[in-house]
Amino acid sequence: MAMLPILHYPDPRLRNPALPVAGVDEAIRQLLDDMLETMYAAPGIGLAAPQVNVSKRVIVVDISDERNAPLYFVNPEITLRTGVEEMEEGCLSVPTIYEPVQRAARIQVRALGRDGQAYEMAADGLLAVCIQHEVDHLDGKLFVDYLSELKRRRIRRKLDKQRRKTL
Ligand code: ZN
């Protein structure tokens, strides 16, 4: 396994729509394992391949406290969204920023698993929010896109300042 570097907003590579995966082979399984290791180390509860500069429709998620219940989504498709929920979100690509975002409260998602088998699951609460956030990444969308332009400008300034401090 290997740790992968995470791209940070406003890196334009985060905006490229990711391409569907033909099937789950050894290379995709390796990518899933590397992404999971990277997500656990960050630490985060979800990671999408475009965040590690891989333009593929691949996501890993683990919202468990024990960090031992990974979920794998290859070519995920949200087939149903119902209700509205507002939760404070963060993102490994937008470090230290947390803002409330409105999303569907319940979803139905279809994907291929790590074994390459198609499956479908229902999700609500934090898991539903997390999956929607990660699927957005596959379409080049970030949670800050749901905020006002004024807020986004403030966030970019704050992140700029942080970067200058670490240089
Ligand atoms: Zn994110």
Side-chain angles (χ1 to χ4, degrees):
M1 297 224 268
M3 293 272 288
L4 306 168
I6 296 175
L7 301 181
H8 286 166
Y9 175 74
D11 192 311
R13 289 172 290 182
L14 289 167
R15 296 306 188 175
N16 299 332
L19 300 170
V21 170
V24 180
D25 56 11
E26 229 10 83
I28 294 297
R29 266 190 287 274
Q30 185 66 55
L31 173 64
L32 286 165
D33 293 346
D34 290 346
M35 284 173 60
L36 196 68
E37 189 186 1
T38 303
M39 180 192 82
Y40 283 146
I45 59 170
L47 187 68
Q51 294 180 273
V52 291
N53 198 24
V54 175
S55 194
K56 291 187 162 70
R57 303 189 78 82
V58 170
I59 288 169
V60 293
V61 168
D62 188 345
I63 61 158
S64 72
D65 289 333
E66 302 79 15
R67 318 290 278 157
N68 60 1
L71 296 171
Y72 304 97
F73 301 89
V74 176
N75 297 338
E77 256 180 274
I78 295 173
T79 54
L80 192 71
R81 298 173 195 254
T82 54
V84 182
E85 175 136 50
E86 189 174 273
M87 247 186 230
E88 194 154 275
E89 293 187 25
C91 178
L92 293 176
S93 294
V94 194
T96 74
I97 307 294
Y98 299 88
E99 294 285 346
V101 175
Q102 270 191 9
R103 298 191 186 267
R106 286 169 299 281
I107 62 165
Q108 189 83 25
V109 60
R110 191 192 301 153
L112 302 179
R114 195 180 177 283
D115 57 4
Q117 297 297 307
Y119 71 98
E120 199 159 345
M121 68 180 286
D124 60 12
L126 178 60
L127 183 57
V129 166
C130 186
I131 293 168
Q132 291 173 84
H133 175 120
E134 302 308 332
V135 169
D136 271 359
H137 275 299
L138 304 182
D139 298 321
K141 198 164 179 184
L142 301 172
F143 85 100
V144 295
D145 299 346
Y146 295 96
L147 310 176
S148 68
E149 177 54 37
L150 180 70
K151 253 188 186 164
R152 264 198 305 280
R153 252 202 309 263
R154 264 193 221 134
I155 289 169
R156 279 195 297 267
R157 257 202 309 269
K158 189 174 164 195
L159 292 176
D160 265 353
K161 238 183 258 169
Q162 281 169 9
R163 263 190 290 272
R164 276 199 296 272
K165 257 186 245 165
T166 42
L167 281 177

